[in-house]
């Protein structure tokens, strides 16, 4: 499966830099097992601040999961191992290339989190990428925790809730309404 990007499309009115705010932002997803195709019934969330160990102590991921239907364990190729350098006595993170049997996992790639800007309005743009092994996101539910800024004023708008796919407010500095409308998404392979 590899990397999967979450693309967002929305109509922005007098607003820019719509983004997931903080390491505690919750990405609500429905996930599909890569082996049997089972899709989770309930929304599951991932946060950057969460970390679960991979089987065998060979690193960690945002979510590690075993399929409830088929109990499939999946193979991965690149894992990062922490070890101590005997020369300088400092911790080093080394990539290991091997096959390791682990539970399915999904990881948020923090360096890929991008804001959705005024110039992106009404176009699909990748706002985050996930590293997927054995699990694939198939649906996204935007909720609270987004932040944005007034396009002209820079006025901060925090804790924006997009559960209803629309949001609006008023920018006191510019004396204009601001809003985010018709929020949709899709997943793409990266």
């Amino acid at each position: 499966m590899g990397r999967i990007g979450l693309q967002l499309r929305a109509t922005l009115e007098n607003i820019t830099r719509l983004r997931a705010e903080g390491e505690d932002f919750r990405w609500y997803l429905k996930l599909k097992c890569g082996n049997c195709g089972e899709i989770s019934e309930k929304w599951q969330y991932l946060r950057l601040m969460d970390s679960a160990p991979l089987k065998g102590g060979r690193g960690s991921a945002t979510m590690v999961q075993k399929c409830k239907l088929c109990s499939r364990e999946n193979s991965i190729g690149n894992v990062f191992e922490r070890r101590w350098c005997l020369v300088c006595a400092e911790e080093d993170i080394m990539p290991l290339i091997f096959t390791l049997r682990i539970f399915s996992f999904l990881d948020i790639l923090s360096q890929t989190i991008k804001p959705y800007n005024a110039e992106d309005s009404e176009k699909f743009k990748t706002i985050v990428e996930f590293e997927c092994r054995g699990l694939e996101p198939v649906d996204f539910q935007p909720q609270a925790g987004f932040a944005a800024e007034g396009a002209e004023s820079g006025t901060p708008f925090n804790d924006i809730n997009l559960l209803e796919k629309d949001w609006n407010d008023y920018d006191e500095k510019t004396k204009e309404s601001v809003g985010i409308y018709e929020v949709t998404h899709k997943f793409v392979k990266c």
Side-chain angles (χ1 to χ4, degrees):
M1 278 171 229
R3 291 168 72 141
I4 306 250
L6 170 60
Q7 291 192 338
L8 187 77
R9 182 176 70 191
T11 301
L12 302 183
E13 176 189 15
N14 302 318
I15 204 103
T16 194
R17 293 194 33 80
L18 174 64
R19 64 198 177 278
E21 188 74 354
E23 288 193 0
D24 60 343
F25 180 85
R26 293 180 178 193
W27 300 93
Y28 284 89
L29 303 170
K30 285 200 176 177
L31 305 170
K32 179 174 83 172
C33 174
N35 183 52
C36 68
E38 177 74 7
I39 296 175
S40 58
E41 292 178 22
K42 297 181 180 179
W43 292 101
Q44 299 177 358
Y45 70 82
L46 297 106
R47 301 181 303 177
L48 276 173
M49 65 188 293
D50 294 335
S51 180
L54 297 175
K55 189 175 181 180
R58 298 286 186 181
S60 63
T62 306
M63 176 182 276
V64 178
Q65 184 173 309
K66 187 174 185 178
C67 179
K68 291 180 183 178
L69 183 65
C70 71
S71 300
R72 168 83 184 236
E73 292 183 358
N74 295 283
S75 298
I76 63 171
N78 274 334
V79 179
F80 287 90
E81 176 187 54
R82 293 187 181 275
R83 65 182 187 181
W84 288 92
C85 174
L86 298 175
V87 177
C88 62
E90 290 185 12
E91 190 175 22
D92 192 13
I93 298 177
M94 299 292 294
L96 300 178
I97 309 298
F98 63 95
T99 300
L100 172 67
R101 300 290 291 172
I102 66 160
F103 293 102
S104 301
F105 80 91
L106 187 65
D107 207 12
I108 302 168
L109 301 174
S110 61
Q111 72 277 11
T112 67
I113 298 174
K114 305 283 188 252
Y116 191 84
N117 298 310
E119 60 269 16
D120 303 317
S121 187
E122 300 181 8
K123 297 182 236 168
F124 278 105
K125 178 183 179 180
T126 302
I127 60 167
V128 65
E129 292 178 18
F130 302 100
E131 180 69 30
C132 306
R133 300 290 181 197
L135 292 172
E136 181 178 349
V138 292
D139 203 0
F140 169 64
Q141 184 180 58
Q143 293 194 13
F146 284 94
E149 299 169 5
E152 299 298 321
S153 66
T155 301
F157 295 94
N158 299 310
D159 203 27
I160 295 171
N161 189 334
L162 294 176
L163 184 58
E164 300 298 322
K165 311 291 192 244
D166 290 321
W167 170 89
N168 57 48
D169 205 333
Y170 187 75
D171 190 335
E172 294 289 337
K173 289 183 184 175
T174 60
K175 307 273 191 260
E176 293 180 320
S177 65
V178 294
I180 304 164
Y181 309 103
E182 302 170 347
V183 176
T184 60
H185 71 279
K186 68 180 179 181
F187 291 100
V188 295
K189 294 191 189 262
C190 301

